[in-house]
Amino acid sequence: WDRHLEYILTCSSFVVGIKNILQFPTLTAKNGGGAFYFVYLLLVCILGVPILYLEMCIGQYVHGGPMKAWTVMPLAKGLGYGMLVLCTLISMFYNTYSAWALFYLFSSFSSTLPWEANQADWDIHTSIQFCIYSCSEDMLDISSGLGDTGQVQPYIAGCLFLTWVVVGVAVYWGRISVGKVAYVTGTLPAVLFLAIFSGVITLPGAVSGVKMFLTPKWQVLGKPQIWLDGVLIVLTSMGCGTGGIINLSGYCHFHSGCFRNAVLTGISNVMGCTLAGCSMFAILGVYTQIIQQPINTFNISETEIGFHLFPAISFYLENSAVWSAIFYLSIFTTGIGTQIVFISTVYTGFSQLIGVHTTLWKISSLVFLLSVLYLIGLTTVTQAGLFVITYLDEFIHKLSIPIFCLLECLIITWVYGAQRFHNKVADMTGSSEGPFIKWMWKVICPVFL
């Protein structure tokens, strides 16, 4: 890295992704508001940051990505291949969120918003429902189910192509360009979401929505589901078990302070989730004020809150097109920041497998990789694309990451040796974090996983 700040910003843009903006608020609404926020903060401290620290130590010590990291232990070599495959599968659908955001962003510059209700005689409730229906049926054109594939939507397919071009250009120049892009992807979404929050909080019902986000219902802590959802959102939002953090840390100075880096990255994740939670709950509060229904009485998905509900609510803000553009620019930059790290990890492993050496080979292999991922990703921009994404997210993403994190902890602490690894980290960084972190890796993290 040219500067250590670029490494921290790249890690921050990786761990503050679409999961933070869209999925975290929906899970919080589902699991008792502030109680889930408390569970999330607790799990970040005892699960997220320790695993980030573990992966940063591994990457920094071997100076490479997940493929190289696990070659030092032949028994665990398959874990490196597994992380490479997982990153590839995630990349196939993750970029579609950015493509949707880009499509909505372009639509925001039209003279009349496509989802705008023009009937002056409609009341506010009818207008909101029309906007939500318009976003579902006209913008994303979602079919009835996975069996009803429909056709590829050309405008969204074009936006998906543009997002892959942006990602490919950033990845081609390696860590130098990735670090420079992180100045935008690591800071701009936070500024934009602060602006969104300042605009939405003025609407009726927004304050009650934020209170719901921050007010815990302690009785729900006894339900296993809240802890399961908490573990999943912490691991998936931080990218643990994907090899992304290992790959980024492979470019760090050998004596860089891994624990400090892990804590700063964890704080970035918490700040991203907190800001997104306040903003999205303010939007939910406005919506519930309109329909006269409590937040905890209805289920809403991350797609609905980001691509159906916000456009409808933004219509009641002054200069709604501007607010719409700000919101979808923030989602686009956030998604791109995370996707760049995923593709960088995939390409690093891919290059090691086929032996990329010359510039021509580098360009050809990158174009080939991105072309294949784009063509496969076209399945996610069909009318059934939302159901394809849900399937991949539920049965591949959320299922694999806890398993890989568990294997990381068990292999390092019980096979390689917790004390042996702890000594190597102390030699590398020049300091030891004490025996507590060793027992976190060895016992506490595996128990939660």
Side-chain angles (χ1 to χ4, degrees), residues 139-312:
M139 296 294 290
L140 299 183
D141 196 12
I142 300 171
S143 67
S144 58
L146 191 60
D148 184 13
T149 306
Q151 61 183 359
V152 173
Q153 303 177 76
Y155 293 113
I156 302 181
C159 292
L160 182 63
F161 178 79
L162 289 177
T163 59
W164 278 115
V165 170
V166 173
V167 171
V169 170
V171 171
Y172 173 74
W173 295 106
R175 69 185 185 279
I176 297 175
S177 63
V178 171
K180 299 300 183 288
V181 170
Y183 284 112
V184 177
T185 59
T187 58
L188 183 60
V191 175
L192 295 178
F193 256 93
L194 281 172
I196 291 167
F197 178 73
S198 65
V200 175
I201 199 65
T202 60
L203 297 177
V207 174
S208 62
V210 176
K211 287 181 179 179
M212 168 70 180
F213 173 64
L214 298 175
T215 304
K217 295 181 178 179
W218 299 113
Q219 62 270 24
V220 302
L221 293 180
K223 298 179 180 179
Q225 187 63 42
I226 190 174
W227 295 95
L228 176 61
D229 288 340
V231 169
L232 287 175
I233 194 62
V234 166
L235 297 180
T236 55
S237 67
M238 287 187 166
C240 299
T242 62
I245 291 294
I246 295 177
N247 186 56
L248 295 177
S249 302
Y251 298 109
C252 271
H253 188 275
F254 187 71
H255 299 295
S256 179
C258 295
F259 187 73
R260 175 198 60 196
N261 298 338
V263 170
L264 289 175
T265 304
I267 291 173
S268 299
N269 182 269
V270 170
M271 290 176 63
C273 281
T274 302
L275 184 56
C278 289
S279 302
M280 291 304 187
F281 265 80
I283 294 170
L284 286 173
V286 175
Y287 180 63
T288 55
Q289 176 85 6
I290 293 170
I291 65 173
Q292 295 296 311
Q293 187 177 345
I295 291 178
N296 57 0
T297 59
F298 63 92
N299 257 337
I300 187 167
S301 69
E302 56 263 32
T303 305
E304 291 170 335
I305 193 174
F307 297 97
H308 297 173
L309 192 55
F310 180 81

Side-chain angles (χ1 to χ4, degrees), residues 412-424:
I412 289 296
T413 58
W414 292 96
V415 180
Y416 187 79
Q419 188 60 49
R420 182 184 176 189
F421 182 74
H422 192 256
N423 292 339
K424 289 187 178 297

